[in-house]
Amino acid sequence: QVQLVESGGGLVQPGGSLRLACVVSGSISKIAVMGWHRQAPGKQRELVATITENGSTNMHNGVKGRFTISKNAYENTAYLQMNDLRPEDTAVYYCNARVFPRSGSWSVYWGQGTNVTVSS
C-alpha cells in the first residue's frame, strides 16, 4: 500500500514563507513524478508544480520566481518552498505521485492535503 503524507502548512502573513513536505511511503518500486496541486475555496484544483524522476521541474506561471519544487529521492520526499506568499495563494495544497508499487502497476496516489492560509 502506498501513502502520501503532506506537512508544513499553516498561517502566514503576506510576504512570508512556508515549506511543504510530502513523504511517499509503502511498498514502492519507482516514483516517476511528484507534484503539488492546490484548491482554493470555491475554485477548481490546479497544478502548482511537478518534478520528475530525473529532476525536471514544471511550475505554474503564477508561482514562478516565488515557489520552488525539489525532492530527496533517497527519502521519497518532495518539497515545495513557497516565498513571497500572497493572499491568493491561500488554498489546500495536495501532493500527488505517479508510483510503481512493488506489486501492481503504475498508479497515481494523493495525499490528504495541508492548509495554507496567507492573511494579515
Side-chain angles (χ1 to χ4, degrees), residues 91-115:
V92 179
Y93 283 71
Y94 297 91
C95 174
N96 77 339
R98 188 166 184 261
V99 177
F100 195 93
R102 295 193 189 280
S103 60
S105 59
W106 285 107
S107 297
V108 176
Y109 298 85
W110 289 84
Q112 81 289 349
T114 185
N115 280 295

Side-chain angles (χ1 to χ4, degrees), residues 4-10 18-24 33-39 44-52 56-61 63 67-72 76-82 89 91-98 108-116:
L4 277 66
V5 178
E6 302 103 330
S7 62
L18 284 175
R19 189 190 194 206
L20 306 183
C22 173
V23 180
V24 183
V33 61
M34 295 185 70
W36 288 96
H37 296 67
R38 67 185 180 187
Q39 187 166 17
Q44 290 188 331
R45 190 174 298 189
E46 64 178 3
L47 177 66
V48 177
T50 59
I51 186 165
T52 66
S56 296
T57 62
N58 183 46
M59 308 296 293
H60 184 282
N61 284 336
V63 305
F67 292 10
T68 303
I69 187 170
S70 62
K71 68 184 178 78
N72 182 326
N76 292 332
T77 301
Y79 302 96
L80 187 68
Q81 178 66 44
M82 305 186 294
D89 295 318
V92 179
Y93 283 71
Y94 297 91
C95 174
N96 77 339
R98 188 166 184 261
V108 176
Y109 298 85
W110 289 84
Q112 81 289 349
T114 185
N115 280 295
V116 172

